[in-house]
Amino acid sequence: MTLWRQSVAELTKKTRGGDLSATELTNTFIDRIAAHDPTIGAFLDPMVEPARGQARALDAMPASSRGPLHGLPVAVKDIISVEGSPCTCGSRILESYVPLFDATIVERLKRSGAVILGKTNMDEFAMGSSTENSRFQTTRNPWDLDRVPGGSSGGSAAAVAARLVPAALGTDTGGSIRQPAALCGVTGLKPTYGRVSRYGLVAFASSLDQAGPMAASTEDVACLLEAIAGDDPRDQTCSNHPVPAYAKELDRDLGRPRIGIPRSAIGDGIDDDVAAAFAAFIEGLEALGAETREIHLPATEHATSCYYLLATAEASSNLARYDGVRYGRRSATETGLHEMMAASRDEGLGEEVKRRILLGTFVLSEGYYDDYYQKAQRVRSLIAQDFRAAFDQVDAIVLPTTPTPAFPIGEKVDDPLSMYLSDVFTITANLVGAPALSVPIGLSEKGLPIGAQLVGRHFDESTILALGHAFQRGSEFHSAVPALARD
Amino acid sequence: MAKLDEERVEALAKLAHLALTDEEKRRFGGQLQEIVSFAERIQALDTSGVAPTSRALLEAGRSGDAALRDDTTTQSLERERVLDGAPDSGDGLFKVPRVLP
């Protein structure tokens, strides 16, 4: 089989065994990026030369020091710091910003032998569900070039879908790994809050942000998670909970797992093709021995409201640092200090980011703090209670990742509320800090990928990964490659 | 319910250090009003006696002996390299436009 179609486990077995050099493997994907990315636009910077240098260094290493991901090219979303390469976050205000250090997860990938192959496009500061809010370029869905790849990790999802890299990292504050994974037909995991270090990631909403892997299969995702998960004293929210051997645990016997289906997951507002694929997915899980039951999560109908109040409040605070003083863009038009800051932010930040900063500032402002910010935090507690009660009865919760397949580029760009509502199924996992895996479960009539999520207990990625893996052993959807990328 | 007219948007923009055009103030006002009207639905939910959650997971973070690190100094970023990335610097400091007249 051609190299680029092979799994992370197959590729790293070859590189570790010396049958394939890191340089050969890296060049295979560099060639694919050169052939296909001009059409797709997944990469802001393919980092070809640094990747070649890294591969050469890996090839010069003694065989005994080869890591588990030896020579594996991995792309990272442009919100994750890689020393010496620009980290723009899709924003003009950080266009010239070059990090002086690697994010912990990049450091861990490198230590495992991975080659960082490129920074991927994203919605500005991860705010968006279509990657259309990038200030630099449009990323197209490899399954239909007139449609969005989803967002905000749309570049990472599109890159993996077209197999321009075998795996990528994204970040997920309200669905930004899972939603683009679903719309591009790849597998993506948002780990438990605290499972993966966020040191070196640009913060959007700190009580919700988490980084995680995206790849073709659950097995690939498990290999990546094993490399990036674990304690980091530099991120105080990061947990020192032991890291299991996720890839080994994929094949464990799950017995008769109990799976909960929330009523909203089969309710109104879901596209017919998505509903049909989701029903078939549930049948597939039942055929594997799962016992399914309907569960009720009453407070989750308020999740979208709760999320947009809290996430924007946190964002307005986190993004106050972009003021043209210490790094990033400074406006040359103003002479006073405050005028310079306001002008730098005006020139440097895009429309959606400004909108969210204003909303967050409103939510936190005098007279509204109690009614909006604190109220939303209390609603968040109710949503968490619903989840705790549900997990007393079930081992995992399933729901569609998105209500519809990928929508056309431009369709929702002038209607922020309708864009926000496309996150309805993903944001609850962020609000409660639970791990959630999106797997491809079918194609729509128009040939667009559809995904479903498995949500697990805190720090129990192993169960949802094992379920996803069991499903994918009997399914071909995760191996499907869009027509334009098959050569 | 809160009214997000141009005047309020202007006040919020000032708090957030954003310079907005009149057209932006009008547009953002309308859009924010729509979003807040939607979010307003949470007011209907009874949250009396419910404590607010400020972080995703209380179990996150380090537990046991690792919860507190030793109080030791470690190497931080080199000043010169940090200042190299700044829009303007001099004498080992970040430079900004004149603050006092």
Side-chain angles (χ1 to χ4, degrees):
Chain A
M1 193 168 34
T2 40
L3 272 183
W4 58 266
R5 277 189 185 267
Q6 294 177 26
S7 72
V8 167
E10 286 166 331
L11 293 173
T12 52
K13 192 173 172 224
K14 291 195 176 83
T15 53
R16 284 165 55 79
D19 301 324
L20 175 67
S21 73
T23 298
E24 267 175 277
L25 184 56
T26 303
N27 284 338
T28 300
F29 287 97
I30 289 174
D31 291 347
R32 287 190 64 77
I33 292 172
H36 298 297
D37 203 49
T39 320
I40 298 167
F43 287 88
L44 287 173
D45 176 5
M47 287 177 59
V48 169
E49 283 319 312
R52 286 206 168 110
Q54 237 196 305
R56 272 194 302 272
L58 287 163
D59 285 331
M61 265 170 48
S64 57
S65 36
R66 285 174 190 154
L69 300 180
H70 186 76
L72 185 82
V74 178
V76 301
K77 184 180 183 178
D78 204 28
I79 197 167
I80 300 169
S81 303
V82 177
E83 186 181 351
S85 292
C87 185
T88 69
C89 277
S91 182
R92 294 268 174 225
I93 208 157
L94 286 180
E95 198 167 2
S96 62
Y97 170 63
V98 179
L100 298 172
F101 56 93
D102 281 335
T104 297
I105 51 178
V106 168
E107 201 177 88
R108 284 181 187 229
L109 280 179
K110 287 181 176 172
R111 212 186 300 144
S112 303
V115 172
I116 306 301
L117 184 56
K119 303 291 295 280
T120 54
N121 197 22
M122 56 184 282
D123 285 300
E124 185 175 14
F125 287 107
M127 296 178 184
S129 310
S130 66
T131 312
E132 290 167 292
N133 295 334
S134 165
R135 304 292 300 285
F136 301 111
Q137 69 194 38
T138 302
T139 298
R140 297 176 180 278
N141 191 313
W143 291 88
D144 179 345
L145 295 173
D146 294 328
R147 290 177 188 263
V148 302
S152 66
S153 312
S156 288
V160 172
R163 305 298 191 262
L164 308 185
V165 277
L169 296 184
T171 59
D172 191 315
T173 303
S176 285
I177 288 174
R178 292 161 286 152
Q179 188 257 17
L183 301 192
C184 288
V186 306
T187 306
L189 174 74
K190 180 199 89 72
T192 309
Y193 186 79
R195 177 70 296 180
V196 171
S197 166
R198 304 178 301 175
Y199 178 76
L201 273 57
V202 177
F204 160 12
S206 304
S207 82
L208 302 156
D209 297 342
Q210 185 56 279
M214 306 165 84
S217 71
T218 304
E219 188 197 2
D220 294 349
V221 161
C223 295
L224 267 283
L225 179 63
E226 219 170 296
I228 61 170
D231 188 17
D232 180 11
R234 292 175 295 188
D235 172 3
Q236 59 169 347
T237 63
C238 192
S239 171
N240 57 348
H241 212 85
V243 179
Y246 291 111
K248 276 203 186 102
E249 294 208 349
L250 289 171
D251 290 312
R252 70 181 181 164
D253 182 17
L254 289 165
R256 279 183 69 75
R258 299 165 303 166
I259 291 181
I261 307 162
R263 277 179 210 170
S264 62
I266 42 180
D268 296 337
I270 300 172
D271 171 270
D272 289 345
D273 291 351
V274 174
F278 185 64
F281 174 61
I282 289 170
E283 279 172 27
L285 293 174
E286 285 167 345
L288 292 166
E291 186 191 298
T292 57
R293 64 179 75 173
E294 196 177 289
I295 56 168
H296 193 35
L297 305 166
T300 57
E301 74 172 273
H302 297 285
T304 306
S305 306
C306 179
Y307 173 83
Y308 278 96
L309 295 172
L310 295 178
T312 55
E314 293 183 29
S316 73
S317 167
N318 271 329
L319 271 64
R321 71 190 69 177
Y322 306 108
D323 56 9
V325 173
R326 290 161 301 159
Y327 43 74
R329 185 192 186 104
R330 175 181 294 189
S331 171
T333 60
E334 297 291 346
T335 47
L337 176 64
H338 292 288
E339 293 78 6
M340 178 281 282
M341 289 179 176
S344 300
R345 288 163 70 77
D346 185 50
E347 292 168 16
L349 301 174
E351 172 135 342
E352 179 62 22
V353 173
K354 286 180 191 168
R355 189 154 45 230
R356 293 204 199 187
I357 289 174
L358 289 169
L359 181 57
T361 305
F362 166 71
V363 167
L364 292 174
S365 62
E366 197 185 347
Y368 298 98
Y369 178 88
D370 288 345
D371 279 354
Y372 293 100
Y373 184 65
Q374 267 222 337
K375 179 80 184 181
Q377 286 192 320
R378 291 181 207 278
V379 173
R380 185 174 185 175
S381 304
L382 291 177
I383 295 170
Q385 273 174 30
D386 282 357
F387 267 73
R388 269 197 298 276
F391 278 117
D392 284 341
Q393 305 169 41
V394 299
D395 303 307
I397 295 172
V398 293
L399 63 175
T401 309
T402 60
T404 66
F407 43 89
I409 291 171
E411 186 183 88
K412 297 188 185 185
V413 82
D414 293 323
D415 186 356
L417 184 59
S418 109
M419 189 76 93
Y420 296 176
L421 294 175
S422 69
D423 300 339
V424 61
F425 292 129
T426 47
I427 54 190
T428 47
N430 299 85
L431 287 169
V432 305
L437 176 75
S438 179
V439 292
I441 58 162
L443 291 175
S444 72
E445 211 169 298
K446 290 191 176 125
L448 301 169
I450 295 168
Q453 292 176 94
L454 291 153
V455 184
R457 290 195 181 89
H458 294 139
F459 296 103
D460 186 18
E461 281 80 3
S462 294
T463 297
I464 53 174
L465 289 169
L467 277 165
H469 182 59
F471 172 75
Q472 288 184 341
R473 267 189 309 205
S475 154
E476 296 290 320
F477 298 120
H478 64 284
S479 325
V481 176
L484 67 87
R486 282 179 201 152
D487 55 355
Chain B
M1 196 188 67
K3 212 167 144 37
L4 279 139
D5 51 18
E6 267 170 76
E7 207 177 316
R8 178 166 300 279
V9 171
E10 195 173 333
L12 291 172
K14 203 162 174 228
L15 284 171
H17 269 126
L18 284 171
L20 300 181
T21 63
D22 288 342
E23 198 274 325
E24 280 178 318
K25 281 176 214 162
R26 259 195 306 280
R27 192 171 66 244
F28 284 141
Q31 290 169 338
L32 293 178
Q33 187 73 62
E34 195 192 355
I35 297 163
V36 172
S37 307
F38 173 80
E40 193 72 23
R41 293 184 206 174
I42 63 166
Q43 306 301 345
L45 213 57
D46 181 9
T47 52
S48 47
V50 179
T53 296
S54 60
R55 53 198 288 191
L57 188 57
L58 291 174
E59 299 90 325
R62 314 177 93 208
S63 59
D65 292 342
L68 294 174
R69 63 165 172 79
D70 291 335
D71 189 19
T72 50
T73 52
T74 51
Q75 180 68 46
S76 50
L77 297 171
E78 282 167 56
R79 179 192 292 218
E80 282 311 311
R81 294 181 67 206
V82 172
L83 290 171
D84 279 348
D88 194 8
S89 66
D91 304 325
L93 301 164
F94 295 111
K95 285 173 86 172
V96 294
R98 180 183 292 275
V99 180
L100 297 171

